[in-house]
Amino acid sequence: MSEQVKKPVRIMETVLRDAHQSLIATRMPTEVMLPIADKMDQVGYEAVEMWGGATFDSCLRFLKEDPWERLRKLKEKFKKTPMQMLLRGQNLLGYSHYSDDVVEYFVQKSIANGIDRIRIFDCLNDLRNLETSVKATKKEGGHAQIALSYTLGDAYTEDYWMNIAREIEEMGADSLCIKDMAGLLLPYDAEKLVKALKRGTDIPIELHTHYTSGCGSMTYLKAIEAGVDIIDCAISPLALGTSQPATEVMVGALKGTERDTGLDQALLKEIADYFTPYREECLENGLLSTKVLGVNIRTLIYQVPGGMLSNMVSQLAEQGASDTAGYSFFPDRRHTGCHERTYGRALQDGYRADQGPDPRQVRPDYQAYERGSCQEGHRRRRENHLQTCRPDSSAAASVRGGVRAVEAAG
């Protein structure tokens, strides 16, 4: 009998970034992270995501912390495990395009201060908006991962995914991630998607999803059967709901198979035991709302990203409206970023067009997005980007202050 060929699934741990961004609106302070970091460094994760996304905003706006100091302190703890961040391409960690020199300098300082891997995405999968970030990451010796935002529509065929995977490899990316931020990817669709990507590229493929719709673990299992290389998970106290599938569950499910992760459940239990009291504390003080726990199958209709939902619940609580029964959004694929505030605002169920702005009035290229090709939307964004990147433009001048902030990081 031939010996079983092992091809372990690798796990990227999200508890220090996307897990708490999705459940408690990115409010975990650095002081909670540091005591467990040494133990996490022993696990053998593919990487630990701990920076980028909304963490920069949250550190400055709510936690009154220096995000660069968080990065440096965690780097002292993670001596073996690569540290990963999420970058919004030309938007960096903000909500508008920055000039190329600012992007390059920010990437350079991020890697110099401790980041090893940068996951770079554009919400419309416009690879032109990722070019500068990818080149800058490679120049600094970092791992450049391009993430594709998963969405639904007639334009997103298997050929679309296969061809864009080929383009990503040609751009020089070290790996590719499918970023299913709203938990829309269903199990059998995941199998087809991974196979299509594998036909287009030989670089490692990572899958990121959220448990909002209740399908996350099943989606991962079918993707693993199709050959996905890496999955994003969260340690159990901060898993499920609008967060990721639980790390321990996926490790247990694969044990003894050819895709066995090889991770130590006893060590994972120690990490879970550490975060359990913090979860209870967040439940008691209201930071963790039961509204973002459990399964909400309506996400398959409303297509709400996990991090967006936890932020919305937090904001409703601040307005004294936390008892609102339900919510709907303009679907994820229709807005240019998960946190775009002009037209991506939350609506209560039953909202009528005459009670608020028509999205078609908010964005004149709305119909172009609905047709699936998004070409008009791409053209408008690219024109804005080129205008911003002109060295003599007022927009470019307005972001120069960002360079000074980055310099303060050392």
Side-chain angles (χ1 to χ4, degrees):
M1 188 178 202
S2 61
E3 193 172 314
Q4 191 178 51
V5 177
K6 300 286 187 181
K7 190 183 178 185
V9 173
R10 292 168 274 165
I11 290 181
M12 200 278 289
E13 176 62 55
T14 68
V15 69
L16 301 186
R17 208 284 296 177
D18 199 37
H20 72 93
Q21 178 169 321
S22 299
L23 290 176
I24 57 173
T26 334
R27 300 298 199 273
M28 184 188 291
T30 304
E31 64 184 22
V32 171
M33 304 176 184
L34 293 176
I36 196 61
D38 286 327
K39 187 73 66 177
M40 292 179 66
D41 194 35
Q42 300 172 25
V43 172
Y45 294 119
E46 172 71 4
V48 170
E49 186 187 43
M50 40 62 64
W51 214 59
T55 60
F56 212 89
D57 189 355
S58 180
C59 279
L60 296 171
R61 190 190 304 269
F62 302 109
L63 301 176
K64 311 305 178 187
E65 291 185 9
D66 180 349
W68 296 99
E69 188 66 19
R70 171 182 293 187
L71 173 55
R72 289 189 288 266
K73 285 182 177 179
L74 285 172
K75 188 61 178 179
E76 293 174 0
K77 300 286 187 177
F78 286 105
K79 295 178 171 60
K80 297 182 292 186
T81 308
M83 298 205 310
Q84 181 169 311
M85 71 172 292
L86 180 68
L87 195 75
R88 300 173 184 141
Q90 207 69 30
N91 288 20
L92 295 178
L93 303 180
Y95 306 102
S96 60
H97 280 55
Y98 297 101
S99 59
D100 286 350
D101 59 340
V102 173
V103 172
E104 292 165 355
Y105 201 40
F106 187 89
V107 168
Q108 188 269 321
K109 286 300 180 185
S110 297
I111 292 176
N113 279 270
I115 290 296
D116 300 293
R117 301 162 58 101
I118 303 183
R119 175 176 292 174
I120 309 163
F121 80 102
D122 178 80
C123 53
L124 298 177
N125 295 337
D126 186 343
L127 300 184
R128 296 170 298 180
N129 287 327
L130 309 180
E131 291 173 357
T132 302
S133 301
V134 170
K135 289 178 182 176
T137 302
K138 300 288 285 185
K139 179 182 177 182
E140 299 302 325
H143 178 112
Q145 179 183 85
I146 290 182
L148 294 173
S149 300
Y150 180 76
T151 189
L152 305 174
D154 294 339
Y156 302 99
T157 63
E158 290 184 28
D159 282 343
Y160 166 87
W161 296 113
M162 180 182 69
N163 291 333
I164 200 169
R166 184 177 297 116
E167 292 180 49
I168 285 172
E169 183 173 357
E170 291 170 354
M171 283 179 64
D174 296 297
S175 61
L176 182 160
C177 175
I178 288 296
K179 183 173 164 54
D180 177 30
M181 60 284 246
L184 303 179
L185 183 57
L186 300 176
Y188 286 98
D189 292 332
E191 182 180 28
K192 295 175 185 176
L193 174 58
V194 171
K195 288 180 177 178
L197 294 171
K198 287 288 186 180
R199 289 196 298 270
T201 182
D202 293 323
I203 62 177
I205 295 175
E206 186 163 351
L207 181 56
H208 172 97
T209 193
H210 291 250
Y211 215 87
T212 320
S213 66
C215 294
S217 295
M218 293 185 289
T219 295
Y220 276 172
L221 196 57
K222 294 303 292 183
I224 289 166
E225 291 176 355
V228 80
D229 301 286
I230 311 162
I231 54 176
D232 290 5
C233 300
I235 202 73
S236 55
L238 290 175
L240 309 185
T242 51
S243 181
Q244 280 75 48
T247 305
E248 306 96 307
V249 170
M250 296 310 302
V251 169
L254 297 171
K255 187 173 179 59
T257 72
E258 63 180 17
R259 305 304 309 274
D260 192 329
T261 66
L263 301 190
D264 183 354
Q265 285 280 27
L267 189 54
L268 293 174
K269 180 182 180 301
E270 292 183 45
I271 297 169
D273 288 345
Y274 172 82
F275 282 108
T276 297
Y278 181 66
R279 170 192 165 94
E280 297 306 313
E281 177 187 328
C282 291
L283 281 168
E284 290 175 9
N285 63 25
L287 191 57
L288 176 56
S289 170
T290 56
K291 293 182 184 297
V292 298
L293 300 175
V295 170
N296 184 350
I297 199 64
R298 290 179 299 174
T299 191
L300 297 177
I301 301 172
Y302 300 140
Q303 304 175 21
V304 186
M308 199 174 192
L309 187 57
S310 68
N311 274 315
M312 181 188 68
V313 170
S314 174
Q315 290 163 14
L316 284 171
E318 291 174 359
Q319 298 298 320
S322 58
D323 58 345
T324 305
Y327 324 98
S328 62
F329 273 68
F330 300 128
D332 174 71
R333 68 182 181 276
R334 298 182 189 172
H335 45 78
T336 61
C338 293
H339 302 283
E340 192 78 29
R341 292 162 185 174
T342 305
Y343 51 88
R345 63 187 185 83
L347 308 175
Q348 293 187 19
D349 277 344
Y351 178 91
R352 299 195 308 273
D354 61 357
Q355 293 177 324
D358 188 327
R360 292 163 182 79
Q361 297 172 358
V362 175
R363 54 176 310 122
D365 57 338
Y366 186 89
Q367 293 289 354
Y369 282 84
E370 283 299 280
R371 285 195 297 271
S373 69
C374 301
Q375 291 304 311
E376 177 62 13
H378 287 332
R379 184 186 67 77
R380 289 174 183 272
R381 292 184 75 221
R382 189 60 177 170
E383 287 177 355
N384 291 338
H385 164 55
L386 292 174
Q387 175 64 24
T388 300
C389 292
R390 283 179 49 209
D392 60 341
S393 69
S394 59
S398 69
V399 299
R400 291 297 190 266
V403 174
R404 293 192 294 273
V406 173
E407 287 178 332

